[in-house]
Amino acid sequence: MTERARTVVWLLVALFGLAAVGLGIVATVVDLDTSAQLATVAGSVGGFLGFALSGYALLRPPAAGSGRIAATAAGTRSVAAGGSIGRAVTGDRASLTAGPVTPEAGTSGSAQANGERGIAAGGEVGEAITGDDTRS
């Protein structure tokens, strides 16, 4: 949660706390019927605001870096991954003699590979073999 969102939440908590104290004072000083009517109106308004906020949260576009990974590959034999790639082989007749490559744990993000045999990763790439007749 960002600092701004945390501040808004605490302001709302304080506002609703003050509203509850105010309704208690009205019930004590004025009368219970007036307090009940005010509480009904305040509850209706709060319910409507909660409904509107829920709809906004469901329909708004996701923020950047929200966990959705976009990876697109365009072109013949292109490879794209939103996370890390251990080994990507796009060449013909490639001989792999070494064991699998494990990249270090890194960040994830968007990746876009364009063109023939393009390789892109949002994280780390351990090994990329794009040539023909290659040995690894």
Side-chain angles (χ1 to χ4, degrees):
M1 184 183 292
T2 64
E3 188 64 34
R4 180 179 177 201
R6 191 172 292 131
T7 303
V8 169
V9 167
W10 279 110
L11 285 174
L12 288 174
V13 167
L15 176 70
F16 288 121
L18 288 173
V21 169
L23 286 173
I25 291 172
V26 169
T28 315
V29 175
V30 181
D31 63 13
L32 197 54
D33 289 332
T34 305
S35 174
Q37 290 173 348
L38 286 174
T40 301
V41 171
S44 298
V45 170
F48 177 74
L49 289 175
F51 176 74
L53 185 62
S54 297
Y56 171 74
L58 287 172
L59 298 177
R60 72 184 174 113
S66 64
R68 292 187 180 205
I69 299 170
T72 58
T76 307
R77 301 181 189 182
S78 292
V79 177
S84 296
I85 297 175
R87 177 184 286 159
V89 180
T90 62
D92 293 330
R93 300 171 302 279
S95 296
L96 304 177
T97 57
V101 177
T102 307
E104 294 182 22
T107 60
S108 297
S110 298
Q112 184 174 5
N114 295 319
E116 184 176 348
R117 300 181 188 192
I119 298 174
E124 301 289 325
V125 177
E127 182 178 21
I129 301 171
T130 59
D132 295 332
D133 297 318
T134 0
R135 294 183 180 259
S136 170

